[in-house]
Amino acid sequence: MGTLMQSEAEIVKKPVGIRFLERAKGSKLSYNAYQAIVLIVTFLAYASYHAARKTTSIVKSALDPQSPDTGLNSLLLRFTSFRSSGQESQEDGGWAPFNGPNGTVLLGEIDVAFLAVYAFGMYFAGHLGDRMNLRIFLTIGMVGTGLFTSLFGVGYWANVHSFYYFLIMQMLAGLFQSSGWPSVVAVVGNWFNKKKRGLIMGIWNAHTSVGNITGSLIAAAMLRYGWGWSFVVPGVVIVLIGFVNFAFLPVNPEIVGAERDEDVVDSSEKIGDGSVNVPLLLSSSDSETDDKKRAVGFIEAWRIPGVAPFALCLFFAKLVAYTFLYWLPFYVSHTAIEGEYLSDETAGNLSTMFDVGGVVGGIMAGYISDRIGARAITAASFMYCSIPALFFYRSYGHVSLLANASLMFLTGMLVNGPYALITTAVSADLGTHSSLKGNSRALATVTAIIDGTGSVGAAVGPLLTGYISSRSSWTAVFTMLMGAAFVAGLLLTRLVMAEVAAKIAESRPLESECRSSPVDHQGLVVEV
């Protein structure tokens, strides 16, 4: 009777889409099938978040079509006045209030408002995420994001020209967007162990770049019909995917009664000072004990070894990445390439090469960190290598389209590699750190702290870019970005030294063993 009641309880807890799949299959889904569903659903969910987020950068040139001949220091608008009735020509004269002398600054302020609320909301989102059903929490965030992203675009048909309307819509969209990242990382962390987490999450993290690319292509394509569509279409898409998430996302193995495979146990994880191997997250048989554990507090999560340095590193890494996310299409359209300026649509399409490079960089960083077992060394190396890449892109990106696309790809690979690694595998590793003694109710909080701190940098970057580019030059902007990349690598110095010391310590016993063992003529250890 007890087993029957438990089985019925599991059925009630299962998302309706999972129940449908099991009914169609005629049996329970395997653990691997659940893992595949988790990866696909969370991939689509966060790709839609980024697609909705990317639209602003594409539409900027339509809202503020400053003449490329005068640069960013002064604006010569093609139309200095607008008809008192009807919609203004967004292609020729921009859109008030963003087509005035301070239009670039206003766009920068909207970016920073969005990201500031996003960063602020992230800390609370992680706290709530560890205490709520993540499937419901994520669905609410997606529907809210879609609603306010669409309302920003509705300003086109409603002929709205109030700066505060657009500011408030972006701030509310940012608040709901903050629910996304802690939720998806926590869910994926619940289903995968550390063994291949870097590679798996590196591939999975392609959702960021796929979302950016999709958002860029949709927004650029919709511009010809009116910039409002560039917001409404991605807004509708994220709402639809939100319903898919609600129907299919299994938050953890326990809630669907899935039995953990043996490879989910991480042999390197130990409780306390003992030597007993345990799973990263407790199995269903331990769920009663797990339920009794309190969720990790905000301050306590900050004290987990490694959280603070990686969080501060991400501050500067996201400062660089989000400056490109929000300003790259604008920069490309206002930079003469082979002596010619590209259209808004072409510039938006070309800017996707940065995200294509980001996909490759995220996978490479995850794979390398898994192979060498050193997250900090990998992240710091990528950040240092991004400095010359940024310099060459600014110096030689104007030579030709091929040079621009190639250097943009390289820059995206090196900038987004550590960004992807820290926000995925590192966050999940720290959220299941051995100091937590198996407590699974820290994933969302730790993820929120790391990405929330990074998002503060993401807010600062576009804001500084708006002011620096309008008052100085883009060369000064790139100098700022190179400095940020250097500081990001520098913040991991202590962790890098610790990883190097650990590698040296590991190699010494091995060298000693090799010297004491007979070897054949090829240098291979001979078994005796």
Side-chain angles (χ1 to χ4, degrees), residues 383-393 414 482:
M383 290 310 306
Y384 288 135
C385 289
S386 70
I387 297 172
L390 287 163
F391 174 79
F392 287 124
Y393 179 69
L414 295 171
M482 288 186 281

Side-chain angles (χ1 to χ4, degrees), residues 304-424:
I304 297 173
V307 168
F310 272 115
L312 294 173
C313 172
L314 190 63
F315 175 95
F316 291 97
K318 287 191 77 168
L319 185 153
V320 178
Y322 268 66
T323 295
F324 274 86
L325 174 69
Y326 278 92
W327 285 100
L328 184 58
F330 187 89
Y331 170 75
V332 171
S333 66
H334 292 82
T335 300
I337 300 176
E338 294 184 278
E340 296 182 0
Y341 292 96
L342 304 180
S343 67
D344 295 342
E345 183 175 353
T346 304
N349 292 335
L350 178 62
S351 69
T352 60
M353 289 304 298
F354 181 83
D355 296 299
V356 174
V359 173
V360 177
I363 295 172
M364 283 181 59
Y367 177 75
I368 292 170
S369 69
D370 277 346
R371 290 285 293 178
I372 67 175
R375 308 284 199 215
I377 291 174
T378 305
S381 299
F382 269 71
M383 290 310 306
Y384 288 135
C385 289
S386 70
I387 297 172
L390 287 163
F391 174 79
F392 287 124
Y393 179 69
R394 172 57 182 164
S395 301
Y396 302 104
H398 66 279
V399 173
S400 67
L401 273 175
L402 179 61
N404 191 290
S406 301
L407 291 170
M408 188 188 298
F409 175 90
L410 178 64
T411 304
M413 183 179 73
L414 295 171
V415 168
N416 282 342
Y419 164 31
L421 180 66
I422 294 171
T423 55
T424 55

Side-chain angles (χ1 to χ4, degrees), residues 180-193:
W181 191 241
S183 300
V184 296
V185 172
V187 171
V188 173
N190 285 338
W191 286 91
F192 293 89
N193 73 327

Side-chain angles (χ1 to χ4, degrees), residues 31 35-36 38-39 188-194 197 200 264 280:
Y31 195 90
Q35 287 181 314
V38 166
L39 289 178
V188 173
N190 285 338
W191 286 91
F192 293 89
N193 73 327
K194 285 184 180 179
R197 187 178 279 167
I200 290 172
V264 178
L280 274 175

